[in-house]
Amino acid sequence: MSCLFWNCQGLGRPLSIHEIGDLLRRYDPMLVFLSETKATQQCIDRLKRKWNYYGLAVDRVGKAGGSAMLWKKEIVVDLLSFYLNHIDVKVENPLMDRKWRCTGFYGILEQSRRHISWDLITELHGQSDLPWIIGGDFNDILTLDNCQLSDIGFEGYPYTWSNRREDPHTIRSRLDRVCANEEWNNIFPLASVQHLHCSGSDHLPILLLLKRPTAPPRRRRNRPFWFESMWTGWDNHSESDPMEVLMSKTRECRAALVRWSKSTNWQLLG
């Protein structure tokens, strides 16, 4: 099972829709959070049918903002809360006997208003005691220790955002991430995050791979091999070297075959 988080920076371009569709086909995520969709509810509804996903959306404000949480039919998703910068859901996989919580998050860009984003995360933290992950574009380099959340880390290219300017004006940063509380980490101790490559946005998509420990395969016990002394013949060769015994038996066998061959040929000729 996997989850995809991406600041796609608009679904109004055919290229963006094509790239998201390609990501969905390639990685088949069960849960998808898209921020900065710049799309209406009607647009998201059309894309859900196109991609064969269920989901809900937060409308854009003017020509900016907007978000969507999409999921496959194989999981059960219940909406907990949503607003301009987040969608919070409860997730249940029928194949697992556990429920957990996923929040798609988009941090406020303006430096002077970012405290609103951190206040929101603190508020969300107090609303449920379910195992919890929160992922998306935080628009900042931050620590969430006060909410008992820790960064899962990542694999791949070290940055998720670039201003796409040439050196020496290039700026890169890791603004997109997934954080989890201890309870969620206990369910998925092998979970990992991959930074994917995509050209349709200043941000890279991030893929959360959910892995649970499995029981190690049972090792086959090797049955002991017992060598019976009678296999070397009826003579007692306990004092002889095993290799000499083998060579002796080989010579005796060869001689016996020669005698049998001559006897058989003589009888045939007679």
Short mmCIF file of all heavy atoms in Angstrom, two decimals, residues 21 35 48 62 174 220:
data_model
loop_
_atom_site.label_atom_id
_atom_site.label_comp_id
_atom_site.label_asym_id
_atom_site.label_seq_id
_atom_site.Cartn_x
_atom_site.Cartn_y
_atom_site.Cartn_z
N GLY A 21 -1.84 11.31 -13.97
CA GLY A 21 -2.33 10.02 -14.42
C GLY A 21 -1.23 8.99 -14.57
O GLY A 21 -1.40 7.82 -14.23
N SER A 35 -2.34 19.27 -3.55
CA SER A 35 -2.54 20.65 -3.11
C SER A 35 -2.28 21.61 -4.25
O SER A 35 -1.67 21.24 -5.26
CB SER A 35 -1.63 20.97 -1.92
OG SER A 35 -0.26 20.84 -2.28
N LYS A 48 -11.74 12.34 -11.08
CA LYS A 48 -11.96 11.12 -10.28
C LYS A 48 -12.49 10.01 -11.17
O LYS A 48 -12.06 8.85 -11.07
CB LYS A 48 -12.93 11.40 -9.14
CG LYS A 48 -12.37 12.21 -8.00
CD LYS A 48 -13.32 12.22 -6.80
CE LYS A 48 -14.69 12.72 -7.16
NZ LYS A 48 -15.57 12.80 -5.98
N GLY A 62 -10.59 32.12 -5.71
CA GLY A 62 -10.18 32.88 -6.87
C GLY A 62 -9.53 31.95 -7.88
O GLY A 62 -10.13 30.98 -8.32
N ARG A 174 13.91 21.31 0.96
CA ARG A 174 13.01 20.16 1.19
C ARG A 174 11.79 20.68 1.98
O ARG A 174 11.80 20.72 3.20
CB ARG A 174 13.74 19.06 1.97
CG ARG A 174 12.87 17.84 2.23
CD ARG A 174 13.67 16.71 2.85
NE ARG A 174 12.81 15.64 3.29
CZ ARG A 174 12.59 15.31 4.56
NH1 ARG A 174 13.23 15.97 5.54
NH2 ARG A 174 11.76 14.34 4.89
N ARG A 220 13.86 -24.75 6.63
CA ARG A 220 13.77 -26.21 6.56
C ARG A 220 14.95 -26.83 7.31
O ARG A 220 16.10 -26.45 7.12
CB ARG A 220 13.80 -26.67 5.10
CG ARG A 220 12.59 -26.21 4.30
CD ARG A 220 12.68 -26.71 2.88
NE ARG A 220 12.74 -28.17 2.83
CZ ARG A 220 12.89 -28.86 1.71
NH1 ARG A 220 13.03 -28.22 0.57
NH2 ARG A 220 12.95 -30.17 1.75
#
